[in-house]
Every structure is written in C-alpha cells, then in structure tokens.
Amino acid sequence: MTQSASNFPDWHGTTILAVRKNGRTVIAGDGQVSMGPTIVKGAARKVRVLAGGKVLAGFAGATADAFTLIERLEAKLEQYPDQLARACVDLAKDWRTDRYLRRLEAMLLVADKSSIFTVTGVGDVLEPEYGVAAVGSGGNYALSAARALIEETELDAEQVARKAMKIAAEICVYTNGNLTVETLQA
C-alpha cells in the first residue's frame, strides 16, 4: 500500500540565503526543521562545502532528497571541474527528465566565487541579478532584507547574510537564528 503525500506530515522550516559582494560569496542557512506547528530540530546543517572547497550548496526541502541532489551535483562537478553553470544545468536536466529524480522535493542554492544559482526540479537554473538569492520558508524575507542591505550599507557579504537571516528569523516562524555560514573568497 502506498501513501499519498497528503498522508505525510507537513514539514516546514528552511531559509537559505546566498550573497555575493566585493569578491566574497556566502551561503547561510538556518537550523530549524518544523513539523506543522512543532519545532522538531533547531540545529540542522543545511549548507555544505563541495568540490574541494570551491563550491557552496544550501538546500531547502526534504533532507534525503536534497542529499541525493547534492551527491549528483558533486558528480557533475567532477565531470565538469570549474564549470559550475554547466554542472547545474546538467543536474537540472537530469532532475527534470529522470523518472526517479523527478520525484525529489528540494531546491538548491549553489555558488562558487563568481556565480550563484538557484536549481529546481522543474529545470530552472536561475542566476540572480543583484548577487543575492534565497529559497525556503523564510527565503523571501531574507532576500528582501539582503537586497536592501547589500545596496544601502557598507556591510560585507557575510555581515549582510547574517543580518538578513536575523531579520528573516524575526518574521518567519519557520526560521531560527541558529545559522550555518560558509564563505568563499575570490
């Protein structure tokens, strides 16, 4: 007997933010995982360093699905070293066309020292215009705060990410202030 998605609990709780400014690229992720109105875990690690420290990836969505996608991304990065855009496009193509991968429910934010990409299961590989991208429950709050801070302040990329995530955590009940922050220098 198979269960439909409506029989599974309503899992929420991820905010992932990528910021690129003045030669630094940062991905920050909160630690909260919620099931309905209950916080299940407050210190999940949703940001990873890949490709020998050259690429950062953060994920929103089902954890096992995200880990599967990150493993596939790592394989693409080995196949196309130092070609993040090509690796992301190839992953998105596989994700959209492969029968198994199509069922995965997650989103990735992926960055290297010069680019940030949002990668989705519908084939999107999106590069932000302003050096800021976000996904997850509190993604729009973090994105808005980071866009304002990046243009209107002298804060560096990590300071922008931390402050924007703090703002998102104060607004979104599915986001907390327990951050994982990873940084790449140009």
Side-chain angles (χ1 to χ4, degrees):
M1 181 172 114
T2 60
Q3 293 181 314
S4 70
S6 64
N7 292 334
F8 288 99
D10 192 16
W11 292 89
H12 288 284
T14 300
T15 301
I16 305 294
L17 174 67
V19 177
R20 191 178 69 246
K21 183 178 181 183
N22 297 333
R24 288 181 91 188
T25 302
V26 174
I27 293 186
D30 80 313
Q32 184 164 308
V33 177
S34 303
M35 184 175 70
T38 305
I39 297 170
V40 177
K41 185 173 184 177
R45 186 170 170 81
K46 305 170 198 170
V47 178
R48 302 283 187 260
V49 179
L50 310 174
K54 295 179 182 178
V55 174
L56 303 176
F59 63 85
T63 305
D65 292 357
F67 284 151
T68 298
L69 293 168
I70 286 174
E71 287 173 7
R72 296 282 181 125
L73 177 61
E74 284 183 301
K76 297 295 182 186
L77 290 167
E78 287 176 15
Q79 186 177 357
Y80 306 114
D82 300 319
Q83 297 180 59
L84 181 61
R86 185 170 182 185
C88 288
V89 168
D90 216 43
L91 173 65
K93 184 177 99 179
D94 289 353
W95 192 356
R96 183 174 168 84
T97 59
D98 183 274
R99 176 180 263 167
Y100 168 72
L101 294 178
R102 250 186 302 190
R103 297 175 187 238
L104 300 182
E105 296 181 8
M107 292 180 75
L108 298 177
L109 269 186
V110 183
D112 63 10
K113 62 185 178 185
S114 60
S115 302
I116 298 170
F117 297 103
T118 303
V119 185
T120 73
V122 294
D124 295 323
V125 178
L126 305 169
E127 187 170 16
E129 292 182 52
Y130 301 101
V132 179
V135 296
S137 304
N140 286 335
Y141 305 114
L143 178 67
S144 298
R147 290 259 320 257
L149 291 167
I150 204 166
E151 294 177 10
E152 302 298 327
T153 69
E154 295 301 316
L155 299 175
D156 68 24
E158 183 172 340
Q159 292 169 323
V160 167
R162 287 184 182 278
K163 191 164 183 81
M165 290 294 288
K166 182 179 186 296
I167 291 167
E170 291 171 354
I171 298 170
C172 179
V173 297
Y174 298 113
T175 304
N176 71 13
N178 189 354
L179 302 180
T180 300
V181 179
E182 296 289 350
T183 303
L184 295 175
Q185 299 288 351

